[in-house]
Amino acid sequence: MERVIVDELYKEKLGVSKIGDRVEIGDHRARVVGFTRGIRSFTTSPFVYTSFKNALNYTRPEAREDQLAYILVTVAPGVRSREVLESLRARLTDVDIYTREEFSRRTRFYWMFTTGAGLAVLTAALMGLVVGVAVVAQTIYAATMDHIREYGTLKAMGATNGYLYRVLIEQAAWSAVLGYAFAMFAAHFIVQASEKGGALILLPPAMKIAMLVLAVFMCIAAALVSINKVTRLDPAMVFRG
């Protein structure tokens, strides 16, 4: 009987509960001999791992070896994967051969930039960025207008535009840091919840840093409207009725 490995997330969907359960793939019976963890399928069909020979048996009877889409190759201990890669590329010129990192990068690029799903995510992110800038700009501008006489007093006392720049930029930076802290707190629980769902959300340290930099830049850019208003402020307004 053929042996297969599936991800534990899809146990219920595939009708298995433990190692040793028997399933049917097409007209062939198979036995589950192991479970993977954290290998999600972006589509509705989960991955099933088996040997090369079994994969041919599970497909159409007339399937040939040259009709396979992917073959996973592992190297023996002590062997450099780059050397195996170069050797296979020299011998097999009519197929694409990638390392795990290269295949991951190409897969992510494909789903993000050449499919409707990826473009929808990028569009939503761009709209969120635009809306975020607008909301932050309006908030900082409203706070600036509420204290416009205080800024006028500072200018009347000799405060330079550079000093006012620093005040407004510091306010924007603190807004970014506080907003980022609340967002990361909520994202922590969302990432944990995604581990039990069909789509796993990853939030590596590099992305966290990039998001912090983006948040600070967004808030500072949004503060430019307020900075323009304050720098054009006439200090004489403080002494008017």
Side-chain angles (χ1 to χ4, degrees), residues 1-4 23-30 48-68:
M1 182 178 294
E2 290 87 350
R3 294 173 293 180
V4 297
V23 295
E24 184 174 335
I25 302 177
D27 296 328
H28 298 269
R29 296 182 63 81
V48 175
Y49 298 91
T50 187
S51 65
F52 179 70
K53 180 178 180 297
N54 291 340
L56 293 177
N57 294 332
Y58 292 146
T59 56
R60 301 183 306 272
E62 66 275 10
R64 303 190 309 271
E65 295 184 4
D66 59 355
Q67 292 180 313
L68 292 178

Side-chain angles (χ1 to χ4, degrees), residues 114-227:
T114 63
T115 65
L119 293 177
V121 172
L122 292 176
T123 302
L126 180 60
M127 292 180 60
L129 180 63
V130 173
V131 172
V133 170
V135 171
V136 172
Q138 184 177 9
T139 302
I140 296 178
Y141 184 79
T144 302
M145 295 305 297
D146 287 341
H147 299 84
I148 195 66
R149 294 186 63 85
E150 286 80 353
Y151 287 113
T153 301
L154 289 175
K155 294 197 71 173
M157 294 173 61
T160 62
N161 285 337
Y163 175 79
L164 298 179
Y165 290 164
R166 291 193 298 272
V167 171
L168 291 173
I169 290 176
E170 184 176 350
Q171 290 179 356
W174 274 110
S175 299
V177 171
L178 293 176
Y180 174 83
F182 284 112
M184 286 297 101
F185 179 77
H188 173 74
F189 294 100
I190 295 176
V191 170
Q192 285 188 333
S194 72
E195 295 179 356
K196 300 180 180 179
L200 179 63
I201 300 176
L202 298 178
L203 200 60
M207 181 176 293
K208 293 180 180 179
I209 296 175
M211 292 176 64
L212 175 60
V213 173
L214 179 61
V216 173
F217 175 79
M218 181 183 71
C219 290
I220 292 177
L224 292 178
V225 177
S226 299
I227 291 176

